[in-house]
Amino acid sequence: MEKTPVPRVGVAVYILKGNSVLLGRRLSSSGDSSHATFALPGGHLEFGESFDECGVREVKEETGLDIEKTEFLTVTNNPFVNDPKPSHYVVIFMRAVLSDPLQQPQNLEPSKCGGWDWYDWDDLPSPLFWPLEKMIKSGFNPFPV
Ligand code: 8DG
Ligand code: MG
Ligand code: MG
């Protein structure tokens, strides 16, 4: 029998450096709505993990970067029900800063990401992953006021 699909929890991290954030181009199956769009580092919350632990772990696994001062920002509900492989994520957005401001990101999961780079908040690349596009268009800003 087919398993009933359920929403999963994602954690995505805005790493802030000056006026910039770290984004990478997602590589997924073509037809998937996120393919080739720019997204934040992040991934799935594991059993027993805190949001902070998940953010720190995913950033380290995907970019090699060490982050600190992780803070919860907001949560969004993201159904990807029209994708070829439908999914649904409740996504926790965090912000953080680099432990060592001189540390450079590495592309540690080249099958999932085309590479990481810093992008000025006022000049973000396109196309953004739609959950990001949507939250930014609604006026969301991850920088401390
Ligand atoms: P894992 O095996 O390392 O745990 O997972 P992953 O391969 O790193 O997962 P992911 O796709 O990067 O993140 C999980 C889901 O979170 C993703 O499929 C959809 C949702 N998500 C958003 N916005 C963002 C975002 O900006 N970045 C990331 N990484 N995930 C996001 O809705
Ligand atoms: Mg990951
Ligand atoms: Mg990821």
Side-chain angles (χ1 to χ4, degrees):
M1 207 175 75
E2 284 273 301
K3 265 218 226 149
T4 309
V6 292
R8 299 185 70 189
V9 179
V11 173
V13 187
Y14 284 95
I15 306 176
L16 308 180
K17 182 174 154 173
N19 197 44
S20 299
V21 296
L22 189 76
L23 297 173
R25 208 189 263 272
R26 288 174 72 87
L27 303 177
S28 37
S29 3
S30 51
D32 183 304
S33 64
S34 81
H35 185 65
T37 63
F38 289 90
L40 300 166
H44 299 89
L45 186 71
E46 290 183 355
F47 190 81
E49 224 174 19
S50 70
F51 299 153
D52 300 76
E53 286 166 345
C54 180
V56 167
R57 175 183 57 74
E58 283 289 342
V59 166
K60 185 75 180 174
E61 285 173 4
E62 297 182 354
T63 71
L65 294 171
D66 296 303
I67 54 170
E68 60 185 40
K69 301 206 175 95
T70 50
E71 284 178 81
F72 169 79
L73 290 177
T74 191
V75 57
T76 65
N77 184 42
N78 305 328
F80 302 92
V81 287
N82 295 321
D83 280 15
K85 280 190 209 142
S87 64
H88 179 174
Y89 285 92
V90 172
V91 182
I92 310 299
F93 287 86
M94 313 288 295
R95 74 173 163 217
V97 294
L98 292 174
S99 304
D100 168 6
L102 297 179
Q103 196 186 358
Q104 298 297 327
Q106 298 163 259
N107 191 12
L108 296 182
E109 294 181 344
S111 65
K112 288 189 183 180
C113 178
W116 300 104
D117 213 341
W118 301 100
Y119 294 92
D120 194 281
W121 184 251
D122 299 314
D123 190 17
L124 292 175
S126 169
L128 290 171
F129 189 18
W130 74 256
L132 274 186
E133 177 78 22
K134 191 175 161 194
M135 72 197 290
I136 294 170
K137 274 213 172 118
S138 78
F140 177 82
N141 185 315
F143 290 86
V145 277

